[in-house]
């Protein structure tokens, strides 16, 4: 989404009519089942997940108000139903390139669980060794092979047509992915089941003129790219404009490339709709060690942590700079801090603040003239400053052209690398010229002015060039330069050296990228994730929509009326009273306590909780409680926590503590005598 947002902003700078679409696919059996598990209707389930996405896009400035997407497309929109139905009708009438009907009725076959009353997908059944018939994961009973009537799309007739599309340069990028897709097509295409009986999958778009069927979710979902701009709906077409914005560029994850590069072009061919401009598959974020991110490994990046500790622009910059677009990238908080500090705080931010501060100090806060008069040239030359400003102007122009070329080729990382050569060059110019020395000599006034002008003019260029990547920071530096228009509306290709007017009064100068204290921030992030408990997200995620990704839960016990616990405020996620009842809390007395060698945090304790012998428990409280003072103290212990090993010691339980303040210290519960109410 960040990449799409960046491209859209660049296009708008160029004055290209741009429509940026993102959104959610909301139909299908997976959402139907997730809704059922959550006790919601499918529409409520979709609304719930969408709310989370909307909140996230607002927070990261990707929404319409912040200049981001033009539409958050939901496939439950009524105009979408109309558009999809139109495409279906066209496909139903179409002939394949080989002269057959593109759509025909056949039979879908699958594994069916009678107790569940549903077909099972591959990750919902197990097939034991030596057994022919798989078993339901929930019921562990053998499944039935069942077939039902279904519409089929004659995909097998489209192989040559698809291969011809892949032969066009840039239809599928990057090349490695195009080769994969082409190999898949050459391997032989099967016809595609594109409908299900409503009795099997009811949450979907009804098949036109045959309401006993609902459409295959991908047929409906992919079509959102054209229904959003008015395909099949005149009203929508007038508001947005199908001819104006189609064909479009698709940016998709590599895991869904097949749907976009095989099925979608084939549907469009059958429907007589022009092909997209191109399909670009991007890679995935891995952790700093190159492992896949997963909740189980605890190496995921949490959006609320990003939001709390980093500026949105820093996150955007990191995403574009760190990942070679098209390949997988590595994402870790430490890397993000390092990049922010080196490239933004010490790089762009420092260039901006040193330049503007010097102009404020030496030039009364007004942009000086960049010209050195004839009679001062010799003086200037003695300082080593290049008196010919076209040298640096030429360097920056060349870098600008290279940047735009790389950017438009979607090589964002390389493009940004090029821009940072400008920063390095101008930084060096300032350090070599030593304006603070020039300022001491009235005869070097024009030399000083010229150096500062060049730095300020460079900043103006950087703001315009970087606006698509870092909209807020660019606008802020632009404002500090005293410029009133917005870099959002300037085409960087039109920048001319010398455009910054002499005499412009600077705005208030403030640091744009404060340095991040690495150790402090990392420990705050770590503590935050520990107190939140890894894996206990408080938001809806995609996992909510995908069964199999979330553990199958037995139905929650019925609630028996409100209790005092319901009155507790500030709790983001609720657990049932039954969940709480599972926790065995005991008050115990610390018998022995010592620090774990080489650990700043861990105390190793033996705690008497009234069992045959004391429990060995490790607790991360060493920073706040001295070992000696723990002996004899009463603590609350979670007695039925699964034992685990820490630093070679087995911990047979957990001591309950509270964290005070954001990333603050840990407090043990007061002696239980004084807090009976809290424990009751
Ligand atoms: Zn079952």
């Amino acid at each position: 989404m960040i990449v799409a947002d960046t491209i859209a902003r660049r296009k708008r700078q160029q004055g290209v009519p741009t429509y940026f679409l993102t959104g959610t696919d909301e139909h299908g059996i997976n959402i139907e089942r997730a809704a059922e598990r959550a006790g919601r209707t499918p529409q409520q389930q979709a609304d719930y997940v969408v709310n989370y996405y909307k909140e996230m896009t607002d927070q990261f400035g990707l929404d319409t108000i912040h200049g981001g997407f033009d539409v958050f497309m939901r496939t439950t929109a009524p105009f979408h139903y109309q558009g999809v139905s139109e495409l279906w009708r066209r496909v139903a009438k179409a002939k394949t390139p080989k002269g057959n009907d593109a759509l025909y009725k056949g039979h879908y076959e699958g594994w069916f669980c009678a107790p569940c009353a549903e077909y099972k997908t591959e990750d919902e059944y197990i097939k034991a060794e030596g057994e022919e018939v798989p078993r339901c994961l929930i019921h562990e009973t053998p499944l039935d092979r069942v077939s039902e009537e279904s519409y089929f799309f004659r995909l097998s007739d489209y192989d040559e047509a698809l291969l011809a599309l892949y032969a066009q340069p840039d239809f599928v990028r990057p090349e490695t992915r195009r080769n994969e897709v082409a190999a898949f097509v050459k391997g032989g295409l099967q016809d595609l089941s594109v409908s299900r009986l409503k009795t099997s999958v009811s949450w979907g778009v009804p098949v036109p003129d045959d309401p006993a069927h609902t459409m295959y979710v991908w047929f409906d979902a992919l079509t959102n790219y054209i229904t959003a701009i008015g395909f099949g709906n005149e009203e929508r077409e007038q508001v947005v404009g199908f001819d104006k914005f189609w064909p479009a560029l698709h940016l998709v994850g590599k895991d869904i490339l097949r749907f976009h590069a095989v099925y979608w072009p084939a549907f469009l061919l059958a429907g007589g709709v022009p092909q997209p401009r191109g399909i670009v598959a991007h890679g995935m974020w891995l952790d700093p060690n190159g492992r896949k991110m997963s909740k189980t490994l605890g190496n995921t990046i949490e959006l609320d942590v990003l939001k709390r500790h980093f500026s949105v622009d820093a996150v955007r910059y990191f995403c574009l700079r760190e990942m070679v677009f098209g390949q997988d990238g590595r994402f870790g908080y430490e890397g993000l801090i390092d990049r922010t500090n080196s490239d933004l705080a010490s790089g762009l931010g420092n260039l901006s603040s040193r330049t503007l501060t010097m102009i404020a100090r030496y030039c009364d806060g007004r942009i000086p003239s960049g010209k050195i008069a004839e009679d001062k040239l010799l003086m200037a030359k003695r300082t080593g400053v290049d008196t010919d400003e076209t040298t640096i102007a030429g360097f920056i122009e060349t870098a600008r052209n290279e940047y735009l070329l790389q950017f438009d080729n979607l090589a964002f990382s390389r493009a940004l690398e090029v821009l940072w050569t400008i920063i390095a060059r101008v930084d060096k110019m300032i350090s070599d010229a030593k304006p603070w020395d020039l300022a001491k000599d009235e005869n070097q006034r024009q030399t000083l002015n010229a150096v500062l002008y060049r730095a300020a003019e460079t900043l103006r260029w950087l703001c315009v060039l970087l606006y698509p990547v870092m909209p807020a920071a660019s606008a802020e530096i632009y404002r500090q330069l005293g410029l009133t228009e917005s870099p959002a509306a300037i085409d960087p290709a039109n920048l001319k050296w010398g455009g910054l007017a002499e005499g412009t009064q600077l705005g208030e100068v403030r640091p744009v990228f404060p340095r991040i204290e690495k150790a402090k921030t990392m420990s705050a992030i770590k503590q935050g994730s520990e107190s939140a408990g890894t894996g206990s997200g408080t938001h809806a995620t995609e996992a909510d929509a995908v069964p199999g990704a979330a553990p199958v839960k037995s139905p929650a016990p019925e609630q028996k009326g409100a209790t005092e616990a319901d009155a507790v405020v500030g709790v983001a996620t609720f657990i049932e009273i039954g969940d709480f009842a599972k926790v065995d809390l005991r008050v115990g007395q610390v018998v022995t306590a010592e620090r774990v060698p080489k650990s700043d945090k861990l105390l190793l304790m033996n705690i008497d909780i009234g069992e045959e012998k004391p429990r060995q428990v490790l607790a991360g409280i060493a920073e706040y409680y001295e070992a000696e003072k723990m002996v004899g103290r009463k603590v609350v212990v979670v007695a039925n926590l699964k034992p685990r090993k820490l630093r070679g010691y087995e911990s047979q339980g957990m001591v309950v503590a509270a964290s005070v303040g954001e990333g603050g210290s840990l407090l043990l519960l007061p002696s239980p005598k004084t807090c009976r109410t809290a424990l009751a």
Side-chain angles (χ1 to χ4, degrees):
M1 219 183 275
I2 287 175
V3 171
D5 181 85
T6 306
I7 296 173
R9 286 173 200 264
R10 156 108 178 99
K11 293 291 174 193
R12 293 193 193 111
Q13 273 187 318
Q14 291 175 284
V16 176
T18 303
Y19 197 77
F20 167 19
L21 172 157
T22 186
T24 42
D25 308 335
E26 303 186 0
H27 291 125
I29 189 73
N30 287 345
I31 288 156
E32 206 174 320
R33 289 182 195 170
E36 204 171 59
R37 277 204 313 275
R40 303 186 180 107
T41 65
Q43 185 64 61
Q44 285 169 339
Q45 176 68 15
D47 292 347
Y48 170 75
V49 176
V50 165
N51 274 343
Y52 165 67
Y53 280 119
K54 286 266 181 84
E55 199 181 298
M56 175 185 84
T57 53
D58 290 0
Q59 284 195 0
F60 283 83
L62 296 161
D63 57 335
T64 312
I65 296 166
H66 293 90
F69 55 69
D70 292 284
V71 64
F72 189 96
M73 184 61 195
R74 301 187 54 180
T75 56
T76 43
F79 65 80
H80 174 73
Y81 273 59
Q82 273 184 289
V84 181
S85 304
E86 168 66 18
L87 184 66
W88 181 283
R89 286 199 179 94
R90 288 202 197 182
V91 172
K93 276 187 266 174
K95 294 282 180 199
T96 69
K98 296 178 183 171
N100 299 307
D101 288 336
L103 207 66
Y104 64 93
K105 252 187 188 175
H107 278 85
Y108 170 86
E109 259 198 40
W111 291 108
F112 190 83
C113 174
C116 290
E118 63 192 17
Y119 285 94
K120 295 290 170 183
T121 56
E122 240 172 272
D123 53 5
E124 292 170 318
Y125 60 66
I126 36 161
K127 209 167 176 178
E129 237 173 279
E131 271 185 52
E132 283 286 295
V133 177
R135 289 165 183 272
C136 171
L137 269 187
I138 297 165
H139 295 96
E140 295 178 359
T141 47
L143 300 175
D144 303 316
R145 193 71 183 167
V146 170
S147 88
E148 68 174 42
E149 190 183 71
S150 164
Y151 284 96
F152 278 80
F153 178 74
R154 205 180 301 274
L155 187 64
S156 56
D157 270 10
Y158 286 86
D159 48 353
E160 283 157 33
L162 287 170
L163 291 170
L165 285 174
Y166 306 152
Q168 297 171 14
D170 290 356
F171 186 73
V172 177
R173 282 184 280 173
E175 208 186 328
T176 47
R177 301 274 165 241
R178 183 189 59 193
N179 296 341
E180 276 174 25
V181 170
F184 173 75
V185 172
K186 283 180 193 154
L189 291 172
Q190 305 262 319
D191 291 350
L192 194 65
S193 162
V194 286
S195 82
R196 300 296 305 278
L197 283 178
K198 200 174 162 57
T199 48
S200 302
V201 181
S202 65
W203 182 236
V205 182
V207 166
D209 314 315
D210 195 350
H213 286 261
T214 52
M215 289 182 200
Y216 170 51
V217 60
W218 276 103
F219 187 94
D220 140 39
L222 289 160
T223 310
N224 92 98
Y225 298 118
I226 55 175
T227 60
I229 51 177
F231 179 86
N233 182 292
E234 221 166 283
E235 219 175 291
R236 184 88 191 157
E237 147 73 358
Q238 267 164 21
V239 175
V240 189
F242 178 77
D243 291 332
K244 193 170 169 193
F245 295 114
W246 190 258
L249 180 74
H250 296 323
L251 302 178
V252 306
K254 64 179 182 185
D255 53 333
I256 52 170
L257 180 62
R258 182 177 300 173
F259 301 99
H260 282 82
V262 181
Y263 302 166
W264 177 229
F267 296 155
L268 290 173
L269 280 169
V273 181
Q275 292 299 320
R277 195 184 295 274
I279 303 154
V280 187
H282 64 74
M284 298 294 158
W285 285 110
L286 308 172
D287 79 0
N289 301 314
R291 292 175 309 178
K292 226 178 141 165
M293 289 191 190
S294 77
K295 288 269 180 203
T296 2
L297 281 174
N299 60 353
T300 54
I301 295 292
E302 302 297 335
L303 293 174
D304 48 345
V305 174
L306 279 186
K307 189 73 191 119
R308 196 175 318 133
H309 297 284
F310 303 93
S311 75
V312 167
D313 278 4
V315 174
R316 292 172 68 102
Y317 174 77
F318 182 85
C319 285
L320 289 153
R321 177 65 182 81
E322 201 72 15
M323 178 188 260
V324 173
F325 194 60
Q327 297 174 18
D328 290 344
R330 294 180 182 199
F331 202 130
Y333 297 121
E334 283 197 65
L336 177 53
I337 295 173
D338 291 341
R339 269 258 176 250
T340 305
N341 283 342
S342 67
D343 295 9
L344 300 180
S346 304
L348 178 64
N350 183 50
L351 176 65
S352 160
S353 67
R354 76 197 293 210
T355 301
L356 298 173
T357 309
M358 285 191 288
I359 292 176
R361 186 176 305 154
Y362 303 133
C363 312
D364 234 4
R366 288 181 184 278
I367 301 293
S369 162
K371 303 283 174 250
I372 303 175
E374 285 287 329
D375 61 325
K376 303 283 182 197
L377 281 177
L378 204 61
M379 292 286 292
K381 274 185 182 153
R382 278 189 210 145
T383 66
V385 169
D386 189 341
T387 52
D388 182 5
E389 72 171 326
T390 60
T391 316
I392 191 146
F395 175 85
I396 290 167
E397 256 172 48
T398 309
R400 179 261 319 262
N401 298 343
E402 175 71 8
Y403 169 78
L404 295 180
L405 196 75
Q406 297 286 358
F407 192 106
D408 291 341
N409 204 20
L410 310 182
F412 308 107
S413 181
R414 176 79 197 110
L416 290 168
E417 223 175 300
V418 170
L419 273 204
W420 258 251
T421 64
I422 297 182
I423 294 175
R425 170 85 185 240
V426 175
D427 260 337
K428 186 169 185 312
M429 174 193 77
I430 295 174
S431 306
D432 290 349
K434 299 191 185 65
W436 41 95
D437 285 345
L438 296 176
K440 292 174 194 154
D441 183 353
E442 197 40 47
N443 286 318
Q444 295 292 5
R445 181 80 229 171
Q446 293 192 8
T447 318
L448 169 68
N449 285 352
V451 169
L452 294 179
Y453 181 86
R454 290 171 197 178
E457 174 66 345
T458 304
L459 275 180
R460 182 178 75 95
W461 280 51
L462 287 173
C463 287
V464 176
L465 288 163
L466 282 170
Y467 165 77
V469 178
M470 294 188 283
S474 302
E476 172 60 16
I477 298 175
Y478 213 68
R479 188 196 59 73
Q480 295 189 18
L481 276 166
L483 299 169
T484 46
E485 73 273 55
S486 163
I490 301 168
D491 184 351
N494 294 337
L495 284 171
K496 296 261 181 304
W497 184 264
L500 184 57
E502 180 190 344
T504 306
Q505 176 76 51
L506 295 189
E508 189 201 338
V509 178
R510 287 193 297 243
V512 183
F513 297 108
R515 232 187 139 66
I516 300 175
E517 283 182 59
K518 190 170 178 180
K520 198 174 142 197
T521 305
M522 282 310 293
S523 106
I525 290 173
K526 222 166 153 230
Q527 279 186 11
S529 76
E530 270 161 18
S531 64
T534 44
S536 69
T538 55
H539 297 292
T541 64
E542 267 169 294
D544 286 336
V546 185
V552 179
K553 288 180 209 140
S554 52
E558 218 175 300
Q559 266 193 309
K560 297 210 184 81
T563 63
E564 269 179 73
D566 293 335
V568 177
V569 288
V571 180
T573 346
F574 294 102
I575 59 169
E576 300 289 349
I577 187 76
D579 296 322
F580 180 72
K582 289 181 201 153
V583 184
D584 183 8
L585 290 176
R586 310 261 192 101
V587 174
Q589 189 158 22
V590 179
V591 185
T592 65
E594 58 180 287
R595 285 186 83 116
V596 172
K598 288 185 205 148
S599 166
D600 297 333
K601 291 198 173 159
L602 289 178
L603 282 188
L604 175 66
M605 292 178 282
N606 280 297
I607 303 171
D608 180 4
I609 56 169
E611 293 172 327
E612 216 168 23
K613 61 180 205 170
R615 293 270 192 113
Q616 174 171 293
V617 176
L618 287 136
I621 55 170
E623 285 169 281
Y624 311 104
Y625 291 93
E626 286 171 45
E628 300 76 40
K629 294 199 178 149
M630 286 303 298
V631 177
R633 191 181 169 116
K634 286 192 171 157
V635 289
V636 179
V637 176
V638 180
N640 61 341
L641 191 74
K642 194 174 162 192
R644 60 174 188 149
K645 272 207 158 167
L646 287 165
R647 302 240 171 195
Y649 299 94
E650 190 181 64
S651 186
Q652 306 156 328
M654 184 169 80
V655 172
V656 178
S659 75
V660 182
E662 210 176 278
S665 53
L666 287 179
L667 258 184
L668 289 171
L669 289 186
S671 161
K673 244 190 286 175
T674 63
C675 66
R676 280 225 315 270
T677 333
L679 286 172

